[in-house]
Amino acid sequence: MALTDVKVASRALVLIGADTISDFDQNPSTTESTVAKNLYEGFVEAALSKYRWRFATGQQDLSRLSSVPEARWDAAYQMPASPPIIVLHAVTVQNEPIKYDRYENHIYCDASDTDVVTADYTYRVETLYWPPYFTEYVVYKIAAVFASSIAQKADLASTLNAQAQLYFREAKNVEAQQQTTRQVVSRRLINVRR
């Protein structure tokens, strides 16, 4: 059974003892569907921005714009329109990080017109592709919000928020194992001894 935003929101609603929803735009609308519709996406994007989740990391070459920045930078590049970028992590030229600034939906940097400029970013990945450890974190985080906004139970919200923080730490721990182990450069330590 494929994971959807409505299923994640419904699981959070169950945790506070509320009714599940079948759609964010239910007709007739319920308190649960109205609150979920207005709060859910913002909390998902906030959860994705809190850590560099590998399952939500993307990389794309950028398109150089013909107009140049008015000051400080030599070139302007268009931010990718799709997928929606939440956090920009790095801009590189031939795999080397370069200095850059983000202005609205543009990236300004000092790159020549022959350089291939690439952006690394976190984006709003489809819910279907969320790993279980991230899903549990989001369910409990949203349940904490629902507990105060729907059930109006501050003590339940506090308990669920504490549980969400535990899931967040566990999720970061699992996520950190999702890449090649980085080697420690010991040369620096040897050079210090001399």
Side-chain angles (χ1 to χ4, degrees):
M1 190 160 56
L3 186 65
T4 66
D5 291 322
V6 170
K7 288 178 183 173
V8 172
S10 289
R11 285 174 58 189
L13 288 164
V14 167
L15 284 174
I16 67 163
D19 293 331
T20 61
I21 59 173
S22 58
D23 192 348
F24 288 122
D25 293 313
Q26 278 184 189
N27 192 4
S29 67
T30 62
T31 302
E32 291 86 349
S33 65
T34 302
V35 171
K37 177 182 179 178
N38 288 292
L39 298 180
Y40 178 82
E41 190 60 32
F43 276 91
V44 168
E45 289 184 8
L48 286 166
S49 71
K50 288 182 184 273
Y51 186 73
R52 192 169 181 177
W53 305 103
R54 293 292 174 194
F55 69 90
T57 298
Q59 191 177 69
Q60 243 181 81
D61 290 343
L62 302 176
S63 299
R64 188 179 176 103
L65 300 173
S66 57
S67 60
V68 280
E70 296 194 23
R72 295 202 319 247
W73 301 103
D74 295 336
Y77 289 82
Q78 182 66 50
M79 289 276 289
S82 179
I85 294 177
I86 296 173
V87 178
L88 182 64
H89 296 292
V91 175
T92 59
V93 172
Q94 281 78 21
N95 295 325
E96 290 298 320
I98 61 170
K99 292 182 181 180
Y100 69 92
D101 254 332
R102 180 177 177 176
Y103 290 83
E104 299 170 352
N105 63 341
H106 299 134
I107 296 173
Y108 290 2
C109 61
D110 291 331
S112 72
D113 56 355
T114 59
D115 287 335
V116 176
V117 177
T118 307
D120 287 26
Y121 51 81
T122 295
Y123 68 100
R124 173 47 166 108
V125 66
E126 289 182 52
T127 311
L128 171 69
Y129 301 113
W130 291 1
Y133 53 85
F134 181 76
T135 303
E136 285 307 302
Y137 162 59
V138 171
V139 166
Y140 275 83
K141 190 65 177 171
I142 292 172
V145 174
F146 289 169
S148 60
S149 61
I150 295 172
Q152 297 182 352
K153 296 180 181 175
D155 56 337
L156 178 59
S158 179
T159 301
L160 290 168
N161 200 38
Q163 189 68 36
Q165 292 310 311
L166 177 64
Y167 278 118
F168 179 66
R169 286 193 301 274
E170 290 175 356
K172 286 192 322 181
N173 187 28
V174 173
E175 182 72 9
Q177 300 170 38
Q178 303 269 349
Q179 64 182 351
T180 305
T181 306
R182 295 186 176 136
Q183 293 181 347
V184 176
V185 180
S186 61
R187 206 82 183 117
R188 266 189 356 199
L189 301 174
I190 293 170
N191 292 338
V192 169
R193 286 190 220 157
R194 293 182 186 168

